[in-house]
Amino acid sequence: MDRQSYRQGNNDDSGSDGRANHSISSVVMFAKDGTDWFRKPAVQARPRARLAAFIIVASLLLAALVAAIVAVPVVRSRNVAFYVHGKPVTEEHVSAMIVDLPFDATSDHYNTRVDLADPSDPKTQYLIAGLKTEAIQRVIVMHAQSDEALRLGIIVSPSAIDTAVETYVNDHASPGDTAEIERLQSPDVRSYIQLWATSKAYEESLTKNTTVSSDEVREYFATWGWSYTDAGGRELTFEQASARLAEDALATKKLQLISENRTLFLKKESSLVNGDTRYKQFMRWWDIMFGIQVPDSLEILQVDTGS
């Protein structure tokens, strides 16, 4: 073999080796590039998955927070009839007042027993509506009187409230009616009794220095003398009925003062009464959305001041 053939052969071999080396390098580079190309998205996918999970969890928590913000006031106001100075008055207070008014000599519905009447009778329905209106008014007035009593330093002691609760339970429940006794001893009814006791203490303070003159007694006799009779039905003279006249005239004067005070407070407080609640608002919206007739109990309470 000559030198030229030998060099050519060597050159051919070196060219093959070069191409082989170039191919191996390309494969290695491709492997590197391929490996990096597959690994980089996997590394990036983990933060993205975490971010997506965080967004989902945050969205759920935000939705739960919004639902709670909406639901909590709705649920809390379910048994609220209205607000006085922002303070809730529960349906329990109004119902208790409706029960008590027929036994209250200062009530317009004194001795009215709608529970014994026919509920389908329009007259009974009219009486029930009037009784509820007066109950709402009286509760509003009691709140105003309670605030005024607090301002004047008139405080009913806890022991006096305990006694009032005990008396109230004895007057409104049978001894064996455990469920009713527990209801009447509940915090809500107790707060109603405390409100009533504070209002009564205020009215007693309002009228404790009230007196009547002889002229006022004679004027009272001129109006009501016909109702004073003896056992045989004969009308008594002023002198004969003087003791009772003075007592009744004083009681009537005190009742007038109390009535005027209640009217004054009702007119003053009626503008500060909020007759709507979150529960009523939600239910009105719900009923309107689904085409349900809105009952009267869900409408905004309108307080009649009697003027």
Side-chain angles (χ1 to χ4, degrees):
M1 178 181 295
D2 56 15
R3 292 180 178 178
Q4 185 177 1
S5 298
Y6 179 78
R7 285 197 300 268
Q8 185 176 358
N10 287 340
N11 289 336
D12 292 340
D13 290 342
S14 63
S16 298
D17 292 342
R19 285 192 299 271
N21 290 335
H22 176 73
S23 299
I24 292 171
S25 298
S26 299
V27 170
V28 171
M29 292 180 65
F30 175 78
K32 288 183 178 180
D33 292 341
T35 302
D36 292 341
W37 187 79
F38 282 112
R39 285 181 179 177
K40 286 180 181 179
V43 173
Q44 294 176 358
R46 292 176 182 175
R48 290 178 180 176
R50 292 173 182 171
L51 179 61
F54 173 78
I55 292 174
I56 293 173
V57 173
S59 300
L60 292 174
L61 291 175
L62 180 61
L65 178 62
V66 172
I69 292 174
V70 174
V72 169
V74 170
V75 173
R76 285 182 176 178
S77 65
R78 179 179 175 84
N79 294 322
V80 175
F82 55 91
Y83 297 92
V84 180
H85 282 284
K87 295 182 291 186
V89 176
T90 64
E91 294 286 356
E92 187 76 50
H93 284 202
V94 177
S95 298
M97 182 60 74
I98 290 174
V99 171
D100 291 340
L101 284 179
F103 302 94
D104 184 350
T106 67
S107 169
D108 294 335
H109 292 82
Y110 182 54
N111 286 332
T112 300
R113 298 296 302 273
V114 293
D115 55 316
L116 302 178
D118 181 8
S120 62
D121 189 338
K123 292 182 179 180
T124 304
Q125 296 172 2
Y126 178 79
L127 285 173
I128 292 174
L131 188 58
K132 183 176 181 180
T133 297
E134 186 183 2
I136 291 171
Q137 293 174 344
R138 283 291 301 277
V139 173
I140 293 171
V141 169
M142 286 201 308
H143 272 276
Q145 291 177 332
S146 179
D147 291 341
E148 183 66 10
L150 182 62
R151 188 184 70 83
L152 296 174
I154 302 172
I155 299 174
V156 181
S157 66
S159 60
I161 295 174
D162 290 338
T163 302
V165 170
E166 183 179 356
T167 302
Y168 191 87
V169 171
N170 293 334
D171 290 342
H172 291 74
S174 303
D177 195 347
T178 305
E180 181 65 7
I181 291 174
E182 290 180 355
R183 186 186 72 83
L184 296 177
Q185 291 175 338
S186 66
D188 195 20
V189 178
R190 181 183 177 87
S191 67
Y192 165 78
I193 298 171
Q194 180 176 356
L195 186 67
W196 176 86
T198 305
S199 172
K200 186 174 178 62
Y202 167 78
E203 291 181 342
E204 289 176 350
S205 175
L206 179 69
T207 60
K208 67 179 181 180
N209 295 324
T210 304
T211 59
V212 288
S213 64
S214 57
D215 290 340
E216 288 176 320
V217 175
R218 287 191 176 277
E219 183 179 350
Y220 182 83
F221 178 75
T223 304
W224 300 101
W226 57 268
S227 63
Y228 292 85
T229 58
D230 59 15
R234 293 186 298 271
E235 289 188 20
L236 299 176
T237 64
F238 177 81
E239 289 73 17
Q240 290 173 327
S242 59
R244 290 170 53 193
L245 283 170
E247 183 179 341
D248 293 346
L250 178 60
T252 301
K253 187 174 182 179
K254 288 183 177 182
L255 184 59
Q256 288 175 344
L257 290 174
I258 291 172
S259 178
E260 291 171 0
N261 181 261
R262 290 176 180 176
T263 301
L264 180 64
F265 273 126
L266 182 60
K267 289 181 178 180
K268 179 182 176 182
E269 298 294 311
S270 59
S271 61
L272 303 174
V273 174
N274 180 9
D276 206 6
T277 66
R278 293 289 182 87
Y279 175 75
K280 290 181 180 180
Q281 294 171 3
F282 177 80
M283 291 303 299
R284 287 200 304 271
W285 171 83
W286 183 270
D287 292 347
I288 291 172
M289 287 293 294
F290 293 94
I292 305 173
Q293 185 176 1
V294 179
D296 293 340
S297 60
L298 298 178
E299 295 292 350
I300 300 174
L301 177 68
Q302 301 294 333
V303 178
D304 182 9
T305 59
S307 58

